[in-house]
Amino acid sequence: MIGVQILAAEAEEGGRLDLLLPALPELIAGIIAFAFVFIAIRLWAWPAMNRMLEARQQAISGQLQEAEQSKVEAQSLLDDYRNQLDNAKAEAARIIDEARQTAEQLRDETAQRATAEAEQIVTRARQEAETEKERALADARNEVANITIDLTERLVGENLDEERQRRLVEQYLTELEGR
């Protein structure tokens, strides 16, 4: 508003407003030149700029789609790796459980075998001890019978029937065992 007042004041004073405004032929030539430049830009430069902007927009859009697709693929791969990791953990736990069960079975089987072997050894030892006892008793009977026969012969001074004496000694020993 102040600028209009200044121009009005100069016009009243007879100032030189024509210094600011060009002459009419120059103004028309300027307008025509501006129209030619505007039309040339509108016909040739504007479509080229639009094509360039559209190409840039399509390139950016394509890059965004590729980035989104890469993100989806990366997420899918991450999910797959997580699933594989979970499966591997589950498999490891299963293998550990199987190993633990196998170890327990082996321990139980080993303990059962050791118990069975110990029982067999004890049974064999008892049988051998019983056999050895019977053999020792038989040897002792024979020895007692021989000693008794020898003593009796010495006491009596004559040969006794060895078979008869042996039966008497065995009968006596049997009576002693029965008591």
Side-chain angles (χ1 to χ4, degrees), residues 63-93:
Q63 289 174 350
L64 287 175
Q65 287 176 352
E66 288 176 11
E68 184 65 28
Q69 186 178 9
S70 295
K71 180 182 174 185
V72 168
E73 288 176 6
Q75 186 64 38
S76 174
L77 286 174
L78 179 63
D79 291 342
D80 287 345
Y81 289 138
R82 285 184 178 160
N83 287 337
Q84 289 176 357
L85 181 62
D86 291 342
N87 291 342
K89 286 180 181 178
E91 183 69 16

mmCIF file of all heavy atoms in Angstrom, residues 63-93:
data_model
loop_
_atom_site.group_PDB
_atom_site.id
_atom_site.type_symbol
_atom_site.label_atom_id
_atom_site.label_comp_id
_atom_site.label_asym_id
_atom_site.label_seq_id
_atom_site.Cartn_x
_atom_site.Cartn_y
_atom_site.Cartn_z
ATOM 1 N N GLN A 63 11.973 -49.518 -6.645
ATOM 2 C CA GLN A 63 12.921 -49.762 -5.562
ATOM 3 C C GLN A 63 12.194 -50.041 -4.244
ATOM 4 O O GLN A 63 12.609 -50.899 -3.467
ATOM 5 C CB GLN A 63 13.881 -48.572 -5.413
ATOM 6 C CG GLN A 63 14.873 -48.450 -6.548
ATOM 7 C CD GLN A 63 15.706 -47.184 -6.430
ATOM 8 O OE1 GLN A 63 15.439 -46.316 -5.619
ATOM 9 N NE2 GLN A 63 16.726 -47.092 -7.289
ATOM 10 N N LEU A 64 11.098 -49.295 -4.010
ATOM 11 C CA LEU A 64 10.309 -49.542 -2.789
ATOM 12 C C LEU A 64 9.686 -50.935 -2.811
ATOM 13 O O LEU A 64 9.672 -51.633 -1.790
ATOM 14 C CB LEU A 64 9.227 -48.469 -2.629
ATOM 15 C CG LEU A 64 9.702 -47.079 -2.204
ATOM 16 C CD1 LEU A 64 8.542 -46.095 -2.218
ATOM 17 C CD2 LEU A 64 10.335 -47.142 -0.824
ATOM 18 N N GLN A 65 9.190 -51.342 -3.994
ATOM 19 C CA GLN A 65 8.605 -52.683 -4.105
ATOM 20 C C GLN A 65 9.680 -53.757 -3.900
ATOM 21 O O GLN A 65 9.449 -54.755 -3.221
ATOM 22 C CB GLN A 65 7.932 -52.855 -5.463
ATOM 23 C CG GLN A 65 6.640 -52.090 -5.599
ATOM 24 C CD GLN A 65 6.053 -52.202 -7.002
ATOM 25 O OE1 GLN A 65 6.678 -52.729 -7.907
ATOM 26 N NE2 GLN A 65 4.831 -51.683 -7.167
ATOM 27 N N GLU A 66 10.845 -53.543 -4.508
ATOM 28 C CA GLU A 66 11.953 -54.496 -4.324
ATOM 29 C C GLU A 66 12.367 -54.557 -2.856
ATOM 30 O O GLU A 66 12.633 -55.638 -2.321
ATOM 31 C CB GLU A 66 13.149 -54.108 -5.192
ATOM 32 C CG GLU A 66 12.947 -54.354 -6.666
ATOM 33 C CD GLU A 66 14.124 -53.861 -7.502
ATOM 34 O OE1 GLU A 66 15.182 -53.522 -6.907
ATOM 35 O OE2 GLU A 66 13.990 -53.808 -8.731
ATOM 36 N N ALA A 67 12.418 -53.390 -2.225
ATOM 37 C CA ALA A 67 12.786 -53.356 -0.803
ATOM 38 C C ALA A 67 11.746 -54.090 0.036
ATOM 39 O O ALA A 67 12.088 -54.852 0.950
ATOM 40 C CB ALA A 67 12.944 -51.913 -0.324
ATOM 41 N N GLU A 68 10.483 -53.888 -0.281
ATOM 42 C CA GLU A 68 9.412 -54.578 0.449
ATOM 43 C C GLU A 68 9.487 -56.088 0.210
ATOM 44 O O GLU A 68 9.341 -56.882 1.144
ATOM 45 C CB GLU A 68 8.041 -54.035 0.013
ATOM 46 C CG GLU A 68 6.879 -54.604 0.776
ATOM 47 C CD GLU A 68 6.884 -54.230 2.248
ATOM 48 O OE1 GLU A 68 7.418 -53.174 2.605
ATOM 49 O OE2 GLU A 68 6.354 -55.034 3.041
ATOM 50 N N GLN A 69 9.725 -56.454 -1.049
ATOM 51 C CA GLN A 69 9.858 -57.881 -1.372
ATOM 52 C C GLN A 69 11.069 -58.479 -0.660
ATOM 53 O O GLN A 69 11.002 -59.581 -0.116
ATOM 54 C CB GLN A 69 9.980 -58.069 -2.883
ATOM 55 C CG GLN A 69 9.988 -59.516 -3.327
ATOM 56 C CD GLN A 69 10.057 -59.647 -4.839
ATOM 57 O OE1 GLN A 69 10.257 -58.668 -5.544
ATOM 58 N NE2 GLN A 69 9.898 -60.854 -5.327
ATOM 59 N N SER A 70 12.176 -57.752 -0.639
ATOM 60 C CA SER A 70 13.371 -58.225 0.073
ATOM 61 C C SER A 70 13.086 -58.354 1.566
ATOM 62 O O SER A 70 13.531 -59.308 2.214
ATOM 63 C CB SER A 70 14.540 -57.265 -0.135
ATOM 64 O OG SER A 70 14.925 -57.241 -1.484
ATOM 65 N N LYS A 71 12.323 -57.410 2.088
ATOM 66 C CA LYS A 71 11.965 -57.467 3.511
ATOM 67 C C LYS A 71 11.107 -58.693 3.793
ATOM 68 O O LYS A 71 11.331 -59.400 4.782
ATOM 69 C CB LYS A 71 11.219 -56.190 3.906
ATOM 70 C CG LYS A 71 10.810 -56.152 5.350
ATOM 71 C CD LYS A 71 10.033 -54.887 5.673
ATOM 72 C CE LYS A 71 9.501 -54.919 7.086
ATOM 73 N NZ LYS A 71 8.658 -53.767 7.383
ATOM 74 N N VAL A 72 10.136 -58.961 2.914
ATOM 75 C CA VAL A 72 9.276 -60.141 3.087
ATOM 76 C C VAL A 72 10.106 -61.415 2.990
ATOM 77 O O VAL A 72 9.943 -62.345 3.793
ATOM 78 C CB VAL A 72 8.131 -60.123 2.043
ATOM 79 C CG1 VAL A 72 7.401 -61.448 2.004
ATOM 80 C CG2 VAL A 72 7.166 -58.984 2.337
ATOM 81 N N GLU A 73 11.005 -61.482 2.003
ATOM 82 C CA GLU A 73 11.870 -62.657 1.849
ATOM 83 C C GLU A 73 12.778 -62.833 3.068
ATOM 84 O O GLU A 73 12.965 -63.953 3.553
ATOM 85 C CB GLU A 73 12.714 -62.533 0.579
ATOM 86 C CG GLU A 73 11.926 -62.713 -0.695
ATOM 87 C CD GLU A 73 12.773 -62.485 -1.946
ATOM 88 O OE1 GLU A 73 14.007 -62.298 -1.814
ATOM 89 O OE2 GLU A 73 12.198 -62.488 -3.047
ATOM 90 N N ALA A 74 13.331 -61.713 3.544
ATOM 91 C CA ALA A 74 14.198 -61.787 4.728
ATOM 92 C C ALA A 74 13.416 -62.279 5.941
ATOM 93 O O ALA A 74 13.907 -63.100 6.716
ATOM 94 C CB ALA A 74 14.822 -60.422 5.007
ATOM 95 N N GLN A 75 12.185 -61.782 6.092
ATOM 96 C CA GLN A 75 11.355 -62.233 7.211
ATOM 97 C C GLN A 75 11.028 -63.716 7.068
ATOM 98 O O GLN A 75 11.039 -64.460 8.045
ATOM 99 C CB GLN A 75 10.060 -61.395 7.284
ATOM 100 C CG GLN A 75 9.212 -61.698 8.487
ATOM 101 C CD GLN A 75 9.912 -61.341 9.786
ATOM 102 O OE1 GLN A 75 10.600 -60.346 9.877
ATOM 103 N NE2 GLN A 75 9.748 -62.178 10.786
ATOM 104 N N SER A 76 10.747 -64.141 5.834
ATOM 105 C CA SER A 76 10.468 -65.554 5.587
ATOM 106 C C SER A 76 11.680 -66.407 5.926
ATOM 107 O O SER A 76 11.553 -67.459 6.570
ATOM 108 C CB SER A 76 10.062 -65.750 4.126
ATOM 109 O OG SER A 76 9.924 -67.109 3.828
ATOM 110 N N LEU A 77 12.856 -65.969 5.469
ATOM 111 C CA LEU A 77 14.089 -66.704 5.795
ATOM 112 C C LEU A 77 14.340 -66.737 7.297
ATOM 113 O O LEU A 77 14.726 -67.769 7.847
ATOM 114 C CB LEU A 77 15.287 -66.076 5.085
ATOM 115 C CG LEU A 77 15.396 -66.325 3.581
ATOM 116 C CD1 LEU A 77 16.557 -65.514 3.000
ATOM 117 C CD2 LEU A 77 15.587 -67.797 3.296
ATOM 118 N N LEU A 78 14.091 -65.610 7.946
ATOM 119 C CA LEU A 78 14.268 -65.555 9.397
ATOM 120 C C LEU A 78 13.322 -66.534 10.089
ATOM 121 O O LEU A 78 13.730 -67.265 10.998
ATOM 122 C CB LEU A 78 14.037 -64.126 9.901
ATOM 123 C CG LEU A 78 14.173 -63.905 11.403
ATOM 124 C CD1 LEU A 78 15.604 -64.216 11.854
ATOM 125 C CD2 LEU A 78 13.790 -62.483 11.764
ATOM 126 N N ASP A 79 12.072 -66.556 9.635
ATOM 127 C CA ASP A 79 11.100 -67.502 10.209
ATOM 128 C C ASP A 79 11.545 -68.945 9.960
ATOM 129 O O ASP A 79 11.446 -69.793 10.847
ATOM 130 C CB ASP A 79 9.709 -67.273 9.624
ATOM 131 C CG ASP A 79 9.106 -65.938 10.084
ATOM 132 O OD1 ASP A 79 9.594 -65.382 11.090
ATOM 133 O OD2 ASP A 79 8.163 -65.468 9.422
ATOM 134 N N ASP A 80 12.032 -69.210 8.732
ATOM 135 C CA ASP A 80 12.524 -70.560 8.419
ATOM 136 C C ASP A 80 13.695 -70.938 9.319
ATOM 137 O O ASP A 80 13.747 -72.053 9.856
ATOM 138 C CB ASP A 80 12.950 -70.654 6.951
ATOM 139 C CG ASP A 80 11.777 -70.662 5.993
ATOM 140 O OD1 ASP A 80 10.631 -70.888 6.460
ATOM 141 O OD2 ASP A 80 12.002 -70.438 4.784
ATOM 142 N N TYR A 81 14.637 -70.010 9.487
ATOM 143 C CA TYR A 81 15.793 -70.297 10.341
ATOM 144 C C TYR A 81 15.363 -70.521 11.785
ATOM 145 O O TYR A 81 15.883 -71.403 12.461
ATOM 146 C CB TYR A 81 16.832 -69.184 10.258
ATOM 147 C CG TYR A 81 17.569 -69.123 8.946
ATOM 148 C CD1 TYR A 81 17.843 -67.923 8.331
ATOM 149 C CD2 TYR A 81 17.988 -70.291 8.311
ATOM 150 C CE1 TYR A 81 18.518 -67.881 7.112
ATOM 151 C CE2 TYR A 81 18.661 -70.256 7.097
ATOM 152 C CZ TYR A 81 18.923 -69.043 6.510
ATOM 153 O OH TYR A 81 19.588 -68.994 5.309
ATOM 154 N N ARG A 82 14.403 -69.730 12.228
ATOM 155 C CA ARG A 82 13.906 -69.918 13.600
ATOM 156 C C ARG A 82 13.226 -71.270 13.741
ATOM 157 O O ARG A 82 13.411 -71.959 14.748
ATOM 158 C CB ARG A 82 12.947 -68.799 13.971
ATOM 159 C CG ARG A 82 13.660 -67.498 14.267
ATOM 160 C CD ARG A 82 12.728 -66.427 14.725
ATOM 161 N NE ARG A 82 13.464 -65.202 15.040
ATOM 162 C CZ ARG A 82 12.924 -64.012 15.105
ATOM 163 N NH1 ARG A 82 11.623 -63.865 14.910
ATOM 164 N NH2 ARG A 82 13.659 -62.963 15.386
ATOM 165 N N ASN A 83 12.444 -71.648 12.730
ATOM 166 C CA ASN A 83 11.800 -72.968 12.772
ATOM 167 C C ASN A 83 12.837 -74.073 12.775
ATOM 168 O O ASN A 83 12.719 -75.053 13.520
ATOM 169 C CB ASN A 83 10.846 -73.140 11.587
ATOM 170 C CG ASN A 83 9.578 -72.323 11.731
ATOM 171 O OD1 ASN A 83 9.192 -71.966 12.830
ATOM 172 N ND2 ASN A 83 8.942 -72.017 10.627
ATOM 173 N N GLN A 84 13.856 -73.925 11.915
ATOM 174 C CA GLN A 84 14.916 -74.928 11.874
ATOM 175 C C GLN A 84 15.649 -74.994 13.213
ATOM 176 O O GLN A 84 15.984 -76.078 13.690
ATOM 177 C CB GLN A 84 15.904 -74.617 10.754
ATOM 178 C CG GLN A 84 15.341 -74.849 9.365
ATOM 179 C CD GLN A 84 16.310 -74.429 8.268
ATOM 180 O OE1 GLN A 84 17.391 -73.905 8.530
ATOM 181 N NE2 GLN A 84 15.913 -74.655 7.021
ATOM 182 N N LEU A 85 15.891 -73.834 13.806
ATOM 183 C CA LEU A 85 16.559 -73.799 15.110
ATOM 184 C C LEU A 85 15.690 -74.471 16.169
ATOM 185 O O LEU A 85 16.190 -75.262 16.982
ATOM 186 C CB LEU A 85 16.868 -72.352 15.503
ATOM 187 C CG LEU A 85 17.590 -72.138 16.819
ATOM 188 C CD1 LEU A 85 18.964 -72.814 16.772
ATOM 189 C CD2 LEU A 85 17.746 -70.658 17.110
ATOM 190 N N ASP A 86 14.385 -74.172 16.162
ATOM 191 C CA ASP A 86 13.476 -74.823 17.111
ATOM 192 C C ASP A 86 13.453 -76.331 16.884
ATOM 193 O O ASP A 86 13.474 -77.107 17.844
ATOM 194 C CB ASP A 86 12.061 -74.246 16.978
ATOM 195 C CG ASP A 86 11.974 -72.808 17.475
ATOM 196 O OD1 ASP A 86 12.887 -72.381 18.221
ATOM 197 O OD2 ASP A 86 10.999 -72.120 17.118
ATOM 198 N N ASN A 87 13.404 -76.736 15.609
ATOM 199 C CA ASN A 87 13.414 -78.170 15.293
ATOM 200 C C ASN A 87 14.723 -78.814 15.751
ATOM 201 O O ASN A 87 14.716 -79.932 16.272
ATOM 202 C CB ASN A 87 13.209 -78.396 13.791
ATOM 203 C CG ASN A 87 11.808 -78.040 13.337
ATOM 204 O OD1 ASN A 87 10.888 -77.947 14.135
ATOM 205 N ND2 ASN A 87 11.646 -77.816 12.048
ATOM 206 N N ALA A 88 15.831 -78.111 15.528
ATOM 207 C CA ALA A 88 17.129 -78.651 15.957
ATOM 208 C C ALA A 88 17.180 -78.782 17.481
ATOM 209 O O ALA A 88 17.687 -79.775 18.009
ATOM 210 C CB ALA A 88 18.264 -77.753 15.463
ATOM 211 N N LYS A 89 16.637 -77.792 18.185
ATOM 212 C CA LYS A 89 16.603 -77.867 19.649
ATOM 213 C C LYS A 89 15.737 -79.037 20.104
ATOM 214 O O LYS A 89 16.110 -79.771 21.016
ATOM 215 C CB LYS A 89 16.069 -76.564 20.239
ATOM 216 C CG LYS A 89 17.052 -75.427 20.185
ATOM 217 C CD LYS A 89 16.470 -74.163 20.777
ATOM 218 C CE LYS A 89 17.441 -73.001 20.694
ATOM 219 N NZ LYS A 89 16.854 -71.769 21.228
ATOM 220 N N ALA A 90 14.580 -79.199 19.460
ATOM 221 C CA ALA A 90 13.695 -80.309 19.816
ATOM 222 C C ALA A 90 14.374 -81.648 19.519
ATOM 223 O O ALA A 90 14.291 -82.595 20.314
ATOM 224 C CB ALA A 90 12.371 -80.194 19.058
ATOM 225 N N GLU A 91 15.053 -81.722 18.383
ATOM 226 C CA GLU A 91 15.764 -82.953 18.012
ATOM 227 C C GLU A 91 16.880 -83.251 19.007
ATOM 228 O O GLU A 91 17.080 -84.396 19.417
ATOM 229 C CB GLU A 91 16.330 -82.821 16.597
ATOM 230 C CG GLU A 91 17.030 -84.047 16.080
ATOM 231 C CD GLU A 91 16.090 -85.204 15.802
ATOM 232 O OE1 GLU A 91 14.868 -85.007 15.720
ATOM 233 O OE2 GLU A 91 16.591 -86.339 15.682
ATOM 234 N N ALA A 92 17.610 -82.201 19.401
ATOM 235 C CA ALA A 92 18.689 -82.387 20.383
ATOM 236 C C ALA A 92 18.117 -82.879 21.711
ATOM 237 O O ALA A 92 18.681 -83.786 22.334
ATOM 238 C CB ALA A 92 19.452 -81.077 20.580
ATOM 239 N N ALA A 93 16.995 -82.294 22.128
ATOM 240 C CA ALA A 93 16.362 -82.733 23.384
ATOM 241 C C ALA A 93 15.911 -84.187 23.265
ATOM 242 O O ALA A 93 16.064 -84.975 24.215
ATOM 243 C CB ALA A 93 15.184 -81.823 23.718
#
